[in-house]
Amino acid sequence: MFEWVSGAWSYSFALLLSASAGVVAEKFLNISGRLVQPLWYKTFGRIHRQRRLRRETRLLGSGETFAVGAAKHEIYVRQFAVDGFRPEHLFSATLPAQSAGGLVDRLPTRLQPGGAADLERMIEDKRRELDAAPGAWNAEMLALRRLEVSRVGSHELPALKLHYAKTDYASFQVISSEWEKRFAEGLAGGEILGEELLDVLPGLSHSFGINLTIETADDHLLLTRRSAKTSGGRNLRHISVNEGMALMDLDPKTGLPDPYRTALRGISEELGIDLENEPDIRNRITFHGLICDVTRYEWALLGHVNLTQTGWTNASFIAARRLGMGPDDWESNGLEFIPMTKAAVEEALRDDAEWVGHGYMNLVLSAMHRLRSDHRAILAAVRSALV
């Protein structure tokens, strides 16, 4: 009996002490909340916030673009969907072709790369030059002329509708080159504004690119380095595939431009791998980002190709290159495989100075898409590189 009473008393006394300690702690924390925290917020906290703001300002700049890569091209991310755009939510449409000069005439004066008549003359000269040069040709291309970003379904899944029009390589070369000169000189009225980038400026847009990162069956990310023979980004690191959309890249059922066909053609031409008959290949290609390289005014759709649990190993890509199966493999001077892990991707992103700007941005967004649980660490690596 005595032991039972003693035990009950000990338990009650311990409970009383615990409750008292809780009251004291609550009072102390209230005092801390009313006095210590506001004091820290106004002194050391203020210093910390100012330092963080300066770091973020250096990363993001005062405008809407990132200065990225060896050439510090200004990259604008128009839309990023971390889960990607579903194939059924990526729509295409076409618009009638129009003369480059007529489109330029409709631009605000400060955004015109030159006079319409002069540009038309330069484009005709470039066409004649390409027709006369051995091995060169004035390829027919598709240009992005309008875009629509929306949401569909009860879960408001991201949707993208892209409107294309026919153009050619000569128009692309002249307009992008003249715009780059104008952009480098500085635009009248200051830098290009975010509201001017929300939609496409048809007078400047004479191409559309499909850029891809590829993850192999060995859980490796395939990277390349641009060849010294390419017209841009020479000897710089790049992602797996960089292909321009061609007039032939049409869906046979609808007759509309199909970015998946461009993706598959690019993988075949640049890497020598034919994925047309790979089961469920369209669901293995995830388009997740739409960007504009504002420096040259080139729009591109960014994506990731997941070939894990297939037969397409690192050795498959190496063998295809050694056997000369990619007719455009001259665009890169070698393949590089890195593990698709946080540590390896962080290391690749640590310094953007060796990168093609839009390739670096594609790697960032593909990593955000594929390694979602590590997005904070990936952003820290990007911040460190771009500050």
Side-chain angles (χ1 to χ4, degrees), residues 316-326 329:
S316 304
F317 288 91
I318 294 170
R321 185 175 182 86
R322 287 179 177 173
L323 292 172
M325 295 172 68
D329 61 4

Side-chain angles (χ1 to χ4, degrees), residues 35-312:
L35 297 177
V36 178
Q37 291 179 10
L39 182 62
W40 184 90
Y41 186 84
K42 292 179 180 179
T43 55
F44 295 106
R46 184 166 179 265
I47 296 171
H48 172 75
R49 291 193 303 279
Q50 289 175 340
R51 290 178 61 188
R52 184 181 64 191
L53 180 60
R54 285 196 294 270
R55 288 198 304 268
E56 298 297 333
T57 300
R58 287 198 301 270
L59 168 63
L60 301 175
S62 58
E64 300 284 343
T65 62
F66 294 88
V68 184
K72 292 301 176 188
H73 278 194
E74 296 289 336
I75 306 295
Y76 173 67
V77 182
R78 173 61 179 86
Q79 187 70 35
F80 171 55
V82 67
D83 292 324
F85 298 96
R86 292 185 179 181
E88 64 269 25
H89 298 159
L90 193 56
F91 306 102
S92 294
T94 56
L95 295 170
Q98 299 179 61
S99 70
L103 291 170
V104 165
D105 257 345
R106 298 175 197 170
L107 288 170
T109 303
R110 83 185 202 96
L111 298 179
Q112 292 181 3
D118 290 337
L119 290 170
E120 290 278 19
R121 176 184 51 77
M122 293 170 69
I123 290 170
E124 285 302 321
D125 289 345
K126 177 60 69 173
R127 286 172 179 155
R128 285 191 287 270
E129 177 189 325
L130 290 170
D131 288 342
W137 75 97
N138 185 31
E140 293 182 316
M141 303 166 61
L142 286 170
L144 185 65
R145 291 286 160 82
R146 196 164 76 215
L147 65 91
E148 298 173 44
V149 178
S150 60
R151 295 287 183 270
V152 296
S154 58
H155 297 291
E156 295 193 344
L157 296 171
L160 195 59
K161 186 172 184 178
L162 303 175
H163 300 252
Y164 306 92
K166 178 182 173 183
T167 185
D168 62 11
Y169 186 60
S171 299
F172 160 68
Q173 281 222 317
V174 170
I175 297 294
S176 64
S177 176
E178 293 304 303
W179 166 255
E180 188 170 8
K181 293 175 188 175
R182 179 70 180 273
F183 189 77
E185 292 169 356
L187 302 177
E191 63 184 19
I192 194 165
L193 303 174
E195 62 188 34
E196 295 172 306
L197 294 169
L198 283 174
D199 203 354
V200 182
L201 297 168
L204 297 179
S205 180
H206 285 271
S207 68
F208 189 65
I210 300 296
N211 299 336
L212 302 168
T213 48
I214 293 178
E215 185 177 359
T216 71
D218 298 315
D219 303 316
H220 278 72
L221 192 65
L222 168 58
L223 302 177
T224 63
R225 188 175 289 273
R226 298 286 284 172
S227 166
K229 297 180 180 180
T230 56
S231 59
R234 295 174 182 171
N235 298 315
L236 296 177
R237 295 184 83 183
H238 209 358
I239 35 78
S240 313
V241 172
N242 177 52
E243 187 65 50
M245 206 166 190
L247 198 61
M248 70 178 79
D249 297 329
L250 304 177
D251 184 327
K253 294 180 181 179
T254 65
L256 294 171
D258 183 358
Y260 291 93
R261 294 201 66 82
T262 307
L264 292 170
R265 180 174 60 81
I267 294 169
S268 176
E269 292 181 0
E270 295 184 15
L271 299 174
I273 297 294
D274 184 358
L275 296 178
E276 286 280 356
N277 296 319
E278 179 65 35
D280 209 27
I281 186 59
R282 287 191 174 233
N283 288 322
R284 289 185 174 275
I285 300 173
T286 302
F287 290 112
H288 52 62
L290 179 68
I291 69 166
C292 180
D293 181 340
V294 182
T295 302
R296 288 182 59 82
Y297 209 82
E298 297 176 18
W299 285 87
L301 198 57
L302 310 186
H304 181 73
V305 185
N306 188 340
L307 296 178
T308 60
Q309 301 180 36
T310 70
W312 299 105

